[in-house]
Amino acid sequence: MPLTEQVKSFVELFRLRRDRPELLRAQVSGLTGQIPMMYLLLVTNSLALAYTHYDQAPFFLTVVLPAILTVLCLVRSISWMRAKAVLDDPEAIISVLKRIRIMSVVVSVLFAAWGLALYYYGDSLHRGHVAYFASITAIGCTLCLFQFPAAALLVVIVVLGSYAGFFAFSGTPVYLAISLNMGTVLAVIVYFIRNYYLSFSALLQSQLVLEEKHRQTLELSQQNEKLAHCDALTGLANRRDYFNCLNTMITEAERGLRDAGRGLKSGRFAVFLIDLDGFKPVNDVHGHMVGDEILISAGQRICTVLGEGGYVARLGGDEFGVILRDYDNEDMLEGLFSRICASLNTPFESVGGPVQLSGTVGIATFPAAARTATGLFERADFALYHAKRNNRGTAVLFAARHETIIRQESRIEQGLRQAELESEMSLVFQPLYNLETGEIYSVEALARWNSPELGFVAPDVFFPMAEKTGRVNDLTRNLFNRLLHEVASWPDHIGFSFNLSAHDLAVPEMMNWLIHRIKHSGIEPRRITFEVTETAILRDFDAGRQHIDTLRQCGARVALDDFGIGFSSLRYLHELDIDCLKIDRSFITPIVTNPRSQRIVKTVFDMCENFGIDCVVEGVETSEQCDVLRHFGARYAQGYLFARPATEFSFEPLASLPAQPVLFKV
Ligand code: C2E
Ligand code: CA
Ligand code: CA
């Protein structure tokens, strides 16, 4: 390093680094314990020197001055011992260090001068003691001040420098040699102080970097922790947090139940599952941006209704979970869920205009419904499923009767898992007729299950279960094979319909299998109609649409089943290439007396006419219904009036068609 640089780095050692507050803080904190020690060292060494010179030097130099210096040192030492290090205020730290810097000069000058004054008394042994005192004390003090190079250097330079200089001019060879020793020690000490300071400062710097890294890692892991428990869209808790909270609540409530005798907490709470009805079509029609907006405000509305006492999480999709602690009674729950339903029934404002949805709620209470997290969740989910099936937009509280259904369903589930498809499943057939000609339009194949343990189980009970247990594809394959086998003996002009489940429609392999079977059956594909429901298509609209196209490309026909009970969006009709639409029986049953049903049915007829697709009415049971329907233009019908599902049926046209009815007003 060039000399100028050396000098610069030497001068740098005396500077207080305001830009490195952590360095200054470390210096003060190190010195706080060492300075009292330094003063004690000074006192001891100087008293020893005063003692050896007591009868050699004047009273002032051996008693008065040492006494004053001792008092000064003790006062400083005590004040250091009592003072608490000020480590949080950078200005205070700087003023402490400045004071130490000044005091190190003052104390060094005083002691050095006193030592030199004594040098003139006594023999060579006494003078040797002075030189020894100066060197050893300066080195000791420097060690105590090592962390603060400015002070350490000042001490060593003042004391060793002045003594080395003084001895250099003493003219005595021994003292000349001592002066050389002192100069060398001084140079080595300066060198070490500088090196030590540089590595100390670098160490602190890297410690600081490490601390910062640690802080960042901590912050990141806290953020991750938060994200892991938070739903990114709504800012509410997520599914994971919901189950954590549920488990905590159960532990607390179990404790509450144990304490209940002592009049403590009630030990009960309620779990709500809230599902938005009609959200999926809104998302499909208006786009995901609007869907997201609605989910956010639905979450806010639920939070507002619940207030402070409720915990709200988004469990996924359009499903929210609520945990309500310490509710008073079921009336309170009822009031609350009515308010939640009402708040979700209020139209949502969106960029695409107001959107009308509703919320269905399933509720299970601890400990009445279950005492485990999964038990509670499943029961609330079951109550929700019931509310959705029977009364959308309302709430259902899980009750004992549901437990019976659950048991029944689990028996069915079990039975279905073990069912021998070949021997237990069969098909029945129900023709659909052309009302103008009386001829068969198509024959619908309907599945029947005769379980050895459970007896006959209705298809609308076991098909959802087959979906749940993952057996539905096997079942469909089995039934379709039977149907093709059966149809082989039918006249060529008779078409037939086969129902597909949501899970059939969603699986590409199933579609390939069906097409493969049709191609190898030798049956004209046009005779086959696949019936799919809107809800099945909605599970995955794009895949559903694509699979419908695949089936039609192979030559088969596709009918939209149970039309009217789902969301019946015009978009679906517009975007789906279908051949036929089957109006659900719920519109047909009241058709004779209900003008509203009449209007709906008439509108659907007109719409089908415009789209150029066939329209079948399902569930025609009476000739009055048939009359009304024909009056409004019904062309194809299915129902007990014409034929019930059976293993056998006639291929002949209807023997008699009801007479054309009198006029009805709509
Ligand atoms: P769906 O496809 O709407 O079938 C028509 C249902 O209405 C049949 O009930 C039929 O017996 C009944 N039905 C026909 N005419 C009348 C009537 O005039 N009045 C009344 N009250 N009911 C009538 P089923 O056979 O119990 O089937 C119920 C549902 O189970 C079917 O509804 C369909 O969704 C499903 N299903 C039946 N077989 C199959 C199948 O092979 N595969 C799939 N995926 N689902 C099937
Ligand atoms: Ca059907
Ligand atoms: Ca139907």
Side-chain angles (χ1 to χ4, degrees):
M1 208 192 277
L3 191 64
T4 48
E5 286 295 310
Q6 300 263 15
V7 174
K8 236 187 199 168
S9 83
F10 179 73
V11 173
E12 191 63 14
L13 297 176
F14 292 89
R15 207 163 65 83
L16 289 177
R17 296 287 301 267
R18 282 175 185 274
D19 56 329
R20 299 275 311 271
E22 87 290 349
L23 181 64
L24 303 182
R25 195 175 306 124
Q27 287 175 329
V28 169
S29 123
L31 292 174
T32 309
Q34 283 157 211
I35 288 186
M37 239 176 346
M38 182 192 78
Y39 280 119
L40 289 179
L41 173 86
L42 268 174
V43 167
T44 323
N45 286 7
S46 47
L47 287 182
L49 187 68
Y51 172 74
T52 54
H53 284 75
Y54 182 65
D55 45 6
Q56 306 292 326
F59 186 72
F60 175 75
L61 283 183
T62 53
V63 177
V64 179
L65 204 54
I68 294 171
L69 291 176
T70 300
V71 171
L72 173 79
C73 289
L74 289 178
V75 168
R76 292 301 306 146
S77 176
I78 289 168
S79 90
W80 268 99
M81 281 195 277
R82 294 174 84 189
K84 283 209 179 79
V86 262
L87 298 176
D88 43 1
D89 177 5
E91 284 310 314
I93 289 178
I94 286 174
S95 69
V96 168
L97 289 174
K98 275 185 180 162
R99 211 175 319 129
I100 296 175
R101 207 164 52 180
I102 294 169
M103 282 306 286
S104 60
V105 177
V106 172
V107 172
S108 307
V109 169
L110 282 175
F111 278 90
W114 173 66
L116 286 179
L118 286 180
Y119 180 81
Y120 292 102
Y121 303 95
D123 55 18
S124 56
L125 201 59
H126 290 96
R127 283 199 291 281
H129 190 186
V130 169
Y132 185 74
F133 159 79
S135 326
I136 207 78
T137 311
I139 293 170
C141 293
T142 307
L143 280 178
C144 292
L145 297 169
F146 223 65
Q147 263 142 347
F148 186 32
L153 285 174
L154 285 170
V155 168
V156 88
I157 289 168
V158 167
V159 179
L160 289 188
S162 60
Y163 274 64
F166 179 78
F167 291 147
F169 293 104
S170 65
T172 325
V174 173
Y175 284 100
L176 212 60
I178 290 178
S179 158
L180 188 68
N181 295 153
M182 285 182 162
T184 318
V185 170
L186 174 64
V188 169
I189 288 179
V190 169
Y191 176 75
F192 274 112
I193 287 179
R194 182 174 152 272
N195 282 3
Y196 170 80
Y197 175 70
L198 289 181
S199 53
F200 176 66
S201 138
L203 185 75
L204 272 182
Q205 181 69 34
S206 61
Q207 202 173 328
L208 206 69
V209 172
L210 274 180
E211 270 171 18
E212 176 58 19
K213 281 219 172 97
H214 179 70
R215 195 190 57 75
Q216 282 173 358
T217 320
L218 208 71
E219 206 169 88
L220 211 68
S221 81
Q222 276 167 352
Q223 267 173 12
N224 281 345
E225 176 76 6
K226 205 176 153 202
L227 278 182
H229 291 267
C230 173
D231 171 52
L233 177 68
T234 56
L236 296 171
N238 63 9
R239 196 179 182 88
R240 175 204 282 231
D241 195 70
Y242 180 79
F243 279 97
N244 283 351
C245 178
L246 201 54
N247 282 316
T248 317
M249 285 297 293
I250 290 174
T251 320
E252 268 180 33
E254 289 286 1
R255 203 177 305 132
L257 282 183
R258 285 197 297 275
D259 295 342
R262 283 179 266 147
L264 297 173
K265 281 170 95 183
S266 76
R268 58 183 182 179
F269 65 91
V271 172
F272 288 47
L273 291 184
I274 304 169
D275 194 279
L276 296 184
D277 308 313
F279 175 76
K280 206 164 170 14
V282 166
N283 213 21
D284 286 343
V285 174
H286 296 272
H288 290 276
M289 289 275 278
V290 171
D292 286 355
E293 267 179 50
I294 289 176
L295 287 176
I296 294 170
S297 43
Q300 285 166 350
R301 286 185 190 185
I302 299 170
C303 290
T304 313
V305 172
L306 286 171
E308 289 292 300
Y311 164 95
V312 184
R314 178 168 165 244
L315 304 180
D318 56 354
E319 196 175 55
F320 293 87
V322 165
I323 301 174
L324 187 76
R325 52 176 77 221
D326 271 336
Y327 65 93
D328 295 334
N329 50 42
E330 284 181 8
D331 287 347
M332 177 193 162
L333 282 187
E334 207 163 303
L336 199 65
F337 60 61
S338 317
R339 291 213 307 278
I340 293 179
C341 289
S343 89
L344 295 174
N345 278 347
T346 318
F348 289 84
E349 285 307 324
S350 80
V351 281
V355 174
Q356 177 75 56
L357 295 178
S358 61
T360 304
V361 188
I363 303 158
T365 53
F366 176 98
R371 293 176 88 141
T372 62
T374 0
L376 278 169
F377 185 81
E378 278 175 4
R379 276 152 183 81
D381 197 37
F382 191 81
L384 174 68
Y385 164 74
H386 266 261
K388 270 188 122 45
R389 209 161 55 171
N390 305 320
N391 255 336
R392 281 169 185 271
T394 60
V396 166
L397 178 63
F398 187 90
R401 70 193 156 89
H402 297 119
E403 198 64 60
T404 321
I405 303 175
I406 286 191
R407 283 214 193 96
Q408 179 74 6
E409 286 192 352
S410 101
R411 284 179 61 213
I412 295 174
E413 193 179 319
Q414 209 48 36
L416 198 61
R417 278 185 207 279
Q418 294 158 358
E420 279 275 344
L421 298 184
E422 214 46 57
S423 59
E424 296 177 29
M425 294 290 167
S426 60
L427 282 177
V428 289
F429 303 96
Q430 186 183 30
L432 285 63
Y433 288 96
N434 181 329
L435 293 179
E436 285 164 6
T437 62
E439 285 173 344
I440 289 180
Y441 168 74
S442 179
V443 178
E444 181 170 5
L446 295 159
R448 293 292 176 263
W449 177 28
N450 187 5
S451 153
E453 283 92 31
L454 306 160
F456 275 103
V457 183
D460 38 14
V461 172
F462 72 76
F463 268 102
M465 206 60 86
E467 292 236 347
K468 204 169 135 193
T469 54
R471 271 210 97 173
V472 75
N473 291 164
D474 286 350
L475 188 53
T476 302
R477 283 195 178 96
N478 182 286
L479 293 170
F480 194 64
N481 280 337
R482 271 167 207 267
L483 177 63
L484 292 181
H485 180 75
E486 191 79 23
V487 167
S489 61
W490 293 3
D492 282 349
H493 69 280
I494 301 288
F496 55 93
S497 316
F498 183 73
N499 293 285
L500 290 180
S501 297
H503 203 253
D504 296 327
L505 196 64
V507 181
E509 293 77 50
M510 243 350 253
M511 295 298 118
N512 296 337
W513 184 86
L514 287 170
I515 289 165
H516 179 262
R517 285 298 289 123
I518 295 170
K519 282 186 178 154
H520 288 81
S521 68
I523 291 167
E524 173 64 40
R526 209 58 210 147
R527 287 173 67 196
I528 308 175
T529 303
F530 288 102
E531 297 194 3
V532 293
T533 60
E534 245 180 312
T535 19
I537 301 171
L538 273 185
R539 283 259 192 105
D540 183 345
F541 185 74
D542 290 332
R545 182 177 49 188
Q546 200 186 325
H547 293 154
I548 286 174
D549 289 346
T550 315
L551 290 174
R552 291 190 79 239
Q553 272 156 19
C554 125
R557 288 159 41 92
V558 174
L560 190 59
D561 203 356
D562 301 346
F563 185 77
I565 55 168
F567 297 108
S568 312
S569 158
L570 270 183
R571 178 189 166 207
Y572 302 133
L573 282 185
H574 177 67
E575 288 194 11
L576 293 174
D577 247 341
I578 51 163
D579 303 274
C580 174
L581 188 148
K582 295 180 80 178
I583 304 182
D584 190 70
R585 147 162 117 245
S586 53
F587 295 94
I588 311 306
T589 310
I591 194 91
V592 177
T593 49
N594 188 334
R596 213 174 125 79
S597 296
Q598 293 171 0
R599 274 198 294 272
I600 292 174
V601 168
K602 173 86 176 87
T603 313
V604 179
F605 286 159
D606 293 346
M607 196 174 69
C608 286
E609 178 114 26
N610 291 338
F611 278 113
I613 54 181
D614 292 348
C615 187
V616 178
V617 285
E618 291 187 307
V620 183
E621 292 183 348
T622 66
S623 49
E624 287 80 13
Q625 289 170 341
C626 187
D627 288 346
V628 177
L629 288 161
R630 287 181 75 202
H631 168 75
F632 290 125
R635 291 184 65 191
Y636 307 104
Q638 175 182 20
Y640 293 169
L641 175 67
F642 314 106
R644 284 184 177 256
T647 44
E648 302 285 327
F649 65 95
S650 163
F651 296 114
E652 297 305 314
L654 284 174
S656 63
L657 273 173
Q660 191 62 25
V662 283
L663 283 179
F664 286 87
K665 275 195 182 149
V666 182

